[in-house]
Each structure stands twice: as structure tokens, then as C-alpha cells.
Amino acid sequence: MPATVVKAPELLKLHNKAGPRHLDGLLNFFLFLSGLCAALSLCFQLGCLEISAACLKMYFEGNPPANQFLCRAYLCQGQLKSPPATGSVEDFEEAVMYFLKAIEISKQEPRFHFMVFNASVLYFQTVQPLLQPGRSLHLVPSLREVVQSLEEVADQDHSWRAELMMHLIKCLVDLKKVEDATSFAKVTEEFIKSHTPNLYPGLFTLLVNTTLMEVLCSRCDWRDSQSVVVIPQARLKEIGKLDQWLQTAVREGGPQAVQAVCATQWNLCLPLLQHNLRKCIKTPLLRVAQALEETQSMLLELRCQVHSELAVTEEEEGRLEASLTHLQKAMLLDNGTQQERLSSAFRLVQLRQTLYQTPSRIEDKAAKLMQQARDMPPQDKTDFRSVLVAVGLLLAPDDFQMVLDADDTSKSGLGSGPVTQLAAKAQHHSTSIQRVEGHLDKQGSDTDHTEMCVLWATLVKTARKHEVWDVCRAACRFCLLYDDGRWKKTDKGESCAQCLHGSSESQSFVHLLRLLAEIRFISAEVCSY
């Protein structure tokens, strides 16, 4: 280690004791030496951090004048105070304060303007760990000051200034200052056009467009999150705008912008994924799926969801081959958590394709009948009910008709008086409903209870949709037999949070619990009919 580095603290002590009237020529030398020692210890890692800190401490205690040596000392102090990547925002703000002090002094004298650039570089290196969503919002005040200072001194490294400006846009987005971000994004683009024509339309302009695209998408997300009631016409208008932005992003070749638009488009489309509305968003979702596929996006879960919903839309329109294609893509993109649901959907569409073939499994027969019922025109209500009853009889041959008869008062053997009639109705209803209780015990050990539960739930929702209330009530009773606690805990003892992001088995349990909750709501609803 150089001897001058080791002796620096002692020399500074000597100067402090001598006072300002002595050693004036030597003063500037040691002031420079102090800054130099700190810089060397940081840059070349000579192990002088403690010595550098001691030098700087004594230097600041001497109330030094505002000159280039003080700027250098501030830059060294900022580097010494730089926290690790996991440091708190307060720790980063303490380090940033010294860089901003150096910048403020450097701006005052033209011959020191070069130090504004140096300080901006050291500042940016220090705050790198904060440049991530959720943390970058804390950089808005300091980064804005750095960018403004580079403009004030007319720094000639325009590409560096453009890069900082784009980071400022993203920080404003993180702070949810959407209007400021949009406005500053346009200023940044104009800056690039004016000062770096050789780069336009090049890398930096593409990045500005990407950032602006993300800002516009964020605006859609925030405005949407504040609305309580979804108005389809207004939502479709926003979806149309995003569809245009997506095509622009694809032409510009920016995968980051493509992903930002696709994710926002998906969020906007979610409330419209209903039977009577999903056809309106088919084309935008097809473009989302295609764009993510062409850019080989790693948003695999999003891609899986988009293909899954497109499969439902295609099936409802009778385009079974297209539906199967989307389901195949979804299964390839799935990480295993949706495997059972997607495989079941794939099998049901295949069954629908084989219209003139009779399946061998009872479950497949029931599923195929429900598919046929869905394809029947609304006016065929009589035939529709008979098909749904046939499904119930397939799933519970010995019990479904008895439970269905619970609502048929003509079979209750009514007496003559009002009280006798009411008693007969109650007795008939009670006797019929009791047939449900032993239903699960009659099923064989090889029965797939998960599949049966889903089939009963499908029968419930299909009957409800077409207002076949007695079939809906009876199907609810059988479906809710499976809500007996069997899926509340997994064999692995996973918590609820682990289930939401866990294995395929855990995801299946979560899906079934949600399904059973939905059936309970429907059951409560149909009891009033």
C-alpha cells in the first residue's frame, strides 16, 4: 500500500492544527490527495476504505470551500456510502445526496461542467438496484435533477442523456404519474430526433417507442382498475386501440413493447370472456397469441391462458379443429398446473367431433349428451330437458329420478285437508332427498370423483342457463355431495398460498373448491324457483 495513502490522515490532522493561515500551498495538494486516495481505494480496491473514510471525515470537518476538490470528495463519499443491492431506499438516498451535491457545485463553473457527467455516471451505477418495478418510483426526484443538470450544462453525450431520460420515463410510470410520463416520453423522442439524427430511427428511438407503449398500456390498466361497472362498448373501444398499438409494436420489432401490450390487452379482455361477449374479442386475442408466439415470449402462463380461452370461443362457434389446435398449444405451454383441466377439455371436444360414435365410458356418454344439449336450438325446450334428465340418469342411475321427483307433488299421495296435503308434500320431499345421502357409497372404488364432480357441476350450470330448474336443483344436490372436505387439504399438507402456485394436484384442488363454491351459490339461487 502506498505510504502517502497511509499518511494522509496524519497530514490532514497537521493541517487542521496549523490553521488556515499556514501551509496554504500545501493545502490544495492534500485536498487533492484526499480525494485521490479515496478514488484509488474504491477503483482499485487497495483496501483503503477506512483510510478514505477517515480522510473524507476530517476534510469535511475543515469546512472546505465549494470547489472541484469538494466535488471530488462528494463523489468519493457517495461511492463509500453506496449500499448493497439489498439495501434500503433510505441508504440509497443518502449516497445519492452526495452525488447531487457534487452536481450542484459543478454546474456553477463552466470549467467544471465535465464533472456533472462524471457524477451522473457514478449516480447511475449506484442506483442500479432500484431500477425495478416497485422501487424505481423513489428515483424520480433525483433522476429528474440529474437529467435537468445535464441539460443545463449542455452535455454533449446525447446518447447517455437519452438513456437516462428513458429510465426517468419508466420511473414516472412506476410512480403512476402517467400524464408526466407520456409528456416526457414525447420530449425524449424529440430530443433524439434533434440531437442524434444518426441514431434515428435506431436503437434509442425504438426504446422510446417501447417505453411510451408501456406508458399508454399502464394508463389503460390504471383507468380500468378504478372502474366498478364494465361497459362493453367502452371496453371494446379500448381493446380496439390496444389492438392497433400491438400491430405497431410488432412492426417496430420491440418484444418488450409487444409483451406490455399483450399483457394489458389480456387484462382488458378478461371481463368480456362471457358466453355472449367473447366472440367480440376473438380477433384481438388471436393477435395476442400470434404476437407472443412470434416473439417467442417467455410469458408462458399468459400464452397458455389465451389459447385456453380461444379454444372455448372456437368450440362455441363450432370450429372444433381450431379449438383442438388451441388446446394442444395450451397444453404445450402449461407448466403442469392446468394439465387435468386442459386434458379434460381436449377430450370433450374430441367427443363432440365423433357425433355418430357411442363412447364406452358412462362419463363420456354423459359429457357427449351435454355437448349435444348445448348445440340444440333454444326453442326445443322439451327435448332439451329430456337430454339433461338422461345425463342425470347416466351419472346416478338409481337415485337421480327419485331426487327429481321430490319437486313433483303429483306423486306425493295428497290427502283431503290442507294440513294433510302439506304433511304429505313434506314427507314425499324428505323421502326423495334421502336417496342422495347414500349415493357416493354406491360408487365403485375405481370411480374418478374429480371427473364426476365436474360433470355434475356442468349439468348444474347447463340446466341453470336454460332455466330447467328441477334438473338444476337435483344436480346441485348430487354435486355438493363432493363438498365433504376431501379437497380442503392436500396430502402434502400445503398451505392455501402454496396451493395457488403449487403442483398440478394442488391447482386441481383449488379449481374444484372454486367450482363447488359456485355451485353453492347456484343452489341457493334456484331454491327460490
Side-chain angles (χ1 to χ4, degrees):
M1 185 181 297
T4 53
V5 173
V6 178
K7 293 181 179 179
E10 285 75 12
L11 292 173
L12 278 175
K13 283 182 180 179
L14 178 62
H15 165 258
N16 289 339
K17 288 181 180 179
R21 293 178 299 173
H22 304 284
L23 301 176
D24 288 339
L26 201 59
L27 171 61
N28 287 339
F29 169 74
F30 284 129
L31 292 177
F32 174 75
L33 178 63
S34 173
L36 179 63
C37 288
L40 288 173
S41 66
L42 289 168
C43 298
F44 299 102
Q45 299 183 354
L46 295 177
C48 306
L49 296 182
E50 293 183 2
I51 296 175
S52 300
C55 288
L56 290 170
K57 183 175 184 296
M58 287 183 286
Y59 173 59
F60 290 131
E61 287 175 350
N63 194 24
N67 54 28
Q68 66 166 313
F69 299 116
L70 180 59
C71 289
R72 295 180 188 277
Y74 279 144
L75 295 181
C76 293
Q77 185 76 333
Q79 293 176 85
L80 280 173
K81 292 290 185 178
S82 296
T86 55
S88 66
V89 173
E90 291 74 18
D91 293 337
F92 280 99
E93 288 177 344
E94 183 182 3
V96 163
M97 175 186 66
Y98 291 104
F99 296 123
L100 297 182
K101 286 183 177 181
I103 288 175
E104 189 59 35
I105 295 173
S106 302
K107 290 192 302 183
Q108 307 307 319
E109 183 65 42
R111 60 197 177 106
F112 299 149
H113 283 180
F114 72 95
M115 295 188 69
V116 176
F117 172 82
N118 294 346
S120 70
V121 173
L122 293 174
Y123 161 84
F124 190 72
Q125 291 174 347
T126 298
V127 300
Q128 282 281 351
L130 293 185
L131 292 173
Q132 52 183 299
R135 303 190 80 189
S136 64
L137 57 93
H138 300 288
L139 292 178
V140 169
S142 60
L143 184 53
R144 195 198 297 269
E145 186 173 341
V146 170
V147 170
Q148 180 63 33
S149 297
L150 288 170
E151 181 180 354
E152 290 177 14
V153 302
D155 188 86
Q156 295 302 301
D157 194 333
H158 298 129
S159 60
W160 170 245
R161 290 169 61 183
E163 183 177 350
L164 292 181
M165 291 168 79
M166 286 184 288
H167 281 292
L168 178 55
I169 296 170
K170 293 185 177 181
C171 292
L172 288 168
V173 172
D174 198 20
L175 188 60
K176 297 189 177 180
K177 294 287 186 180
V178 64
E179 297 297 337
D180 290 348
T182 305
S183 175
F184 193 69
K186 294 177 181 178
V187 171
T188 303
E189 186 172 9
E190 289 301 318
F191 173 83
I192 294 174
K193 288 180 181 180
S194 302
H195 294 88
T196 56
N198 58 313
L199 294 176
Y200 188 84
L203 173 63
F204 288 107
T205 301
L206 177 57
L207 291 176
V208 169
N209 288 337
T210 298
T211 305
L212 182 57
M213 194 77 69
E214 292 175 358
V215 171
L216 295 172
C217 290
S218 299
R219 176 193 287 180
C220 290
D221 278 343
W222 299 336
R223 183 167 60 248
D224 179 63
S225 65
Q226 296 173 356
S227 62
V228 179
V229 180
V230 176
I231 303 175
Q233 293 80 3
R235 180 63 62 93
L236 288 172
K237 185 176 180 181
E238 294 292 336
I239 290 172
K241 289 180 182 178
L242 274 176
D243 191 39
Q244 294 297 319
W245 293 347
L246 177 57
Q247 294 176 59
T248 301
V250 170
R251 285 196 304 269
E252 293 289 341
Q256 187 176 355
V258 170
Q259 292 190 146
V261 180
C262 287
T264 306
Q265 184 73 291
W266 170 250
N267 289 332
L268 283 177
C269 288
L270 278 175
L272 302 184
L273 290 172
Q274 305 174 35
H275 174 69
N276 58 332
L277 294 174
R278 62 169 61 247
K279 62 182 179 182
C280 301
I281 56 174
K282 174 183 171 181
T283 299
L285 285 183
L286 283 171
R287 284 205 179 93
V288 167
Q290 182 180 359
L292 292 174
E293 184 174 349
E294 289 177 351
T295 56
Q296 297 182 339
S297 171
M298 294 306 295
L299 299 176
L300 302 184
E301 184 177 358
L302 172 60
R303 293 172 63 186
C304 177
Q305 290 175 323
V306 171
H307 282 295
S308 178
E309 292 298 336
L310 282 170
V312 176
T313 304
E314 299 285 17
E315 184 192 359
E316 289 183 350
E317 295 180 358
R319 294 166 49 85
L320 303 184
E321 284 295 335
S323 178
L324 289 174
T325 299
H326 283 297
L327 285 172
Q328 287 174 325
K329 290 183 177 181
M331 287 188 285
L332 289 173
L333 294 165
D334 176 42
N335 61 2
T337 59
Q338 303 294 325
Q339 180 180 0
E340 185 174 340
R341 182 181 65 82
L342 293 172
S343 298
S344 175
F346 187 83
R347 187 173 64 253
L348 290 176
V349 178
Q350 283 184 318
L351 284 173
R352 192 176 175 190
Q353 268 192 321
T354 58
L355 181 63
Y356 301 105
Q357 298 178 14
T358 303
S360 58
R361 297 174 66 243
I362 291 177
E363 293 85 351
D364 290 341
K365 289 179 181 178
K368 189 167 184 176
L369 277 176
M370 279 190 283
Q371 290 287 359
Q372 292 175 359
R374 289 172 57 185
D375 294 336
M376 294 173 65
Q379 59 267 25
D380 296 345
K381 289 187 176 181
T382 304
D383 293 338
F384 191 90
R385 184 183 183 283
S386 64
V387 172
L388 293 183
V389 171
V391 172
L393 293 174
L394 279 171
L395 298 178
D398 300 326
D399 304 319
F400 185 76
Q401 188 62 56
M402 281 290 295
V403 176
L404 199 62
D405 290 341
D407 292 329
D408 187 357
T409 57
S410 65
K411 299 182 179 182
S412 59
L414 301 179
S416 57
V419 175
T420 305
Q421 290 180 359
L422 287 175
K425 287 182 181 180
Q427 182 61 42
H428 169 71
H429 187 273
S430 176
T431 303
S432 300
I433 295 304
Q434 285 177 359
R435 294 297 298 265
V436 176
E437 297 177 0
H439 173 70
L440 292 184
D441 296 334
K442 300 176 184 177
Q443 294 185 348
S445 57
D446 59 340
T447 302
D448 185 344
H449 287 189
T450 300
E451 184 178 13
M452 291 295 292
C453 179
V454 172
L455 286 170
W456 278 117
T458 305
L459 179 57
V460 168
K461 292 194 284 187
T462 306
R464 174 180 178 267
K465 176 183 174 182
H466 293 275
E467 300 182 356
V468 186
W469 304 121
D470 60 338
V471 174
C472 186
R473 278 190 292 269
C476 280
R477 297 185 190 280
F478 284 96
C479 184
L480 292 176
L481 291 175
Y482 296 90
D483 191 15
D484 56 359
R486 69 182 66 201
W487 290 307
K488 289 186 179 179
K489 293 182 180 180
T490 70
D491 293 337
K492 299 178 183 179
E494 294 173 323
S495 66
C496 292
Q498 289 172 323
C499 284
L500 288 173
H501 305 284
S503 63
S504 174
E505 182 184 12
S506 300
Q507 289 282 330
S508 176
F509 289 159
V510 172
H511 172 69
L512 286 168
L513 289 174
R514 288 174 175 169
L515 185 62
L516 287 169
E518 184 181 1
I519 299 305
R520 283 209 173 273
F521 279 110
I522 294 174
S523 178
E525 176 191 5
V526 297
C527 282
S528 61
Y529 292 100

